[in-house]
Amino acid sequence: MAASQQEIDVAQGHLARLVFGQLAARVVGTALRLGVLDRFGPDRTSRPAAEVATGLGTDPRATLRLLRAMAALQLLTEPAPGRFALAPAGELLHGGGAASPDGTAASMAAFVRMFTGPVVLSGWDHLADSLLTGDPSFETAFGVDCFGYLKQNPEASAEFNAAMSQGTKATAAGLAAAYDFDRFKTVVDVGGGDGTLLAAILRGRPALRGMLFDTAEGVAEAGAVLAREQLVERVTVHAGDFFAGVPSGGDLYLLKSVVIDWEDDACVALLEQCRRVVPDDGRLLIVEPVLPPAVDGSTPPGAYLSDLNMLVNTGGRVRTRAELEDLCVRAGFAPTALTPLPPPFAALEAAPA
């Protein structure tokens, strides 16, 4: 049956929004790098476009056009012609950051900087190559794999860590509330980065202790996070290669957005290292975006874009529940439960088989 004109109009609008999405991302990334948001006070007081241009050293007319695009994208508001103020989304990119409920600065600046910058986007320039080969194209762009690049570039590694920390906060709050951590004594966060997730879990659970395990680059900023959260005495930090071994001593081993980075055999090798140290009464907890068996509208499109991002940049993938459970079984675990978290995340628990 031929499509109606209304269906055609809707489809054309949808395609236009998809294509213009890449332009919107360029606006956000460029505004962040120029420091446009920092020309505004966090109190949402409006500023004239000419004043912003003077502070930035940019062309006044071009700046006005940029600010209006940012207002249309709900980063700013334009309460009067030519005057602009921060909108809530813009506050998350302001240097000061809005205050979050836990009292820390709520910011997405590092996350946006990373995902609109060359470390992420250069691989996407070679998406067609990855589709032909099934292999990541990051090395085509940089001459080294993604994690090797971060190891060689401390500044990029620090930005990556900050981006992962910022991207973790919403999931961390949901996980800490939804999963029963009180039945454990020591949580080992494998690949836990700067400790943002572990801190959210330990907060409000004074009897629970933690171990943080990641590469030396991954835990580089952990000291500051643990000190701010007053957790230095309750968390031990270990640096190493989780493919070579995982610290013993925990009864819950947590992997958040770690399995997603690797192909299946590497994931099984990592989970086998966890299996060697998880006690018989312990548990494994994998926190990941989880795809349904088929696209059914229940999962945000970002999960599927994240899957392609893994394809081009790390060689990993976003998996279905059945695929995650299969990895667990291959590594000697028996899946026991799936806890839904803010979409598209879920927490898959497994016990030693």
Side-chain angles (χ1 to χ4, degrees), residues 168 170-172 174-176 178-179 181 197 253-260 284-292 298-300 303 318-322 324-325 328 337-350:
T168 291
T171 304
L175 177 64
Y179 185 76
F181 290 97
L197 178 60
Y253 281 75
L254 168 65
L255 295 91
K256 190 267 179 189
S257 296
V258 173
V259 172
I260 191 176
L284 173 76
L285 190 65
I286 298 174
V287 180
E288 298 269 317
V290 178
L291 298 178
S298 65
T299 303
V318 181
R319 296 172 172 87
T320 64
R321 176 179 182 174
L324 287 172
E325 290 180 340
C328 291
L338 186 77
T339 301
L341 299 173
F345 280 87
L348 176 66
E349 181 190 87

Side-chain angles (χ1 to χ4, degrees), residues 136-225:
S137 53
F138 187 96
E139 191 165 349
T140 302
F142 291 97
V144 65
D145 66 73
C146 181
F147 295 108
Y149 177 86
L150 295 176
K151 186 173 184 177
Q152 295 173 8
N153 294 270
E155 185 176 336
S157 179
E159 184 169 82
F160 175 84
N161 291 343
M164 295 304 99
S165 175
Q166 290 175 2
T168 291
K169 285 188 175 181
T171 304
L175 177 64
Y179 185 76
D180 181 13
F181 290 97
D182 293 323
R183 55 198 164 117
F184 302 103
K185 296 179 180 178
T186 302
V187 179
V188 183
D189 191 352
V190 180
D194 68 1
T196 294
L197 178 60
L198 188 57
I201 293 168
L202 297 184
R203 193 182 300 128
R205 294 182 173 92
L208 190 61
R209 301 188 65 83
M211 291 189 209
L212 185 64
F213 181 59
D214 208 326
T215 62
E217 300 77 35
V219 298
E221 287 81 33
V225 173

Side-chain angles (χ1 to χ4, degrees), residues 5-31:
Q5 186 60 51
Q6 181 180 10
E7 291 173 325
I8 293 173
D9 292 343
V10 170
Q12 288 177 335
H14 177 63
L15 288 173
R17 286 190 296 275
L18 292 179
V19 173
F20 273 82
Q22 64 180 321
L23 306 186
R26 296 281 181 172
V27 168
V28 180
T30 299

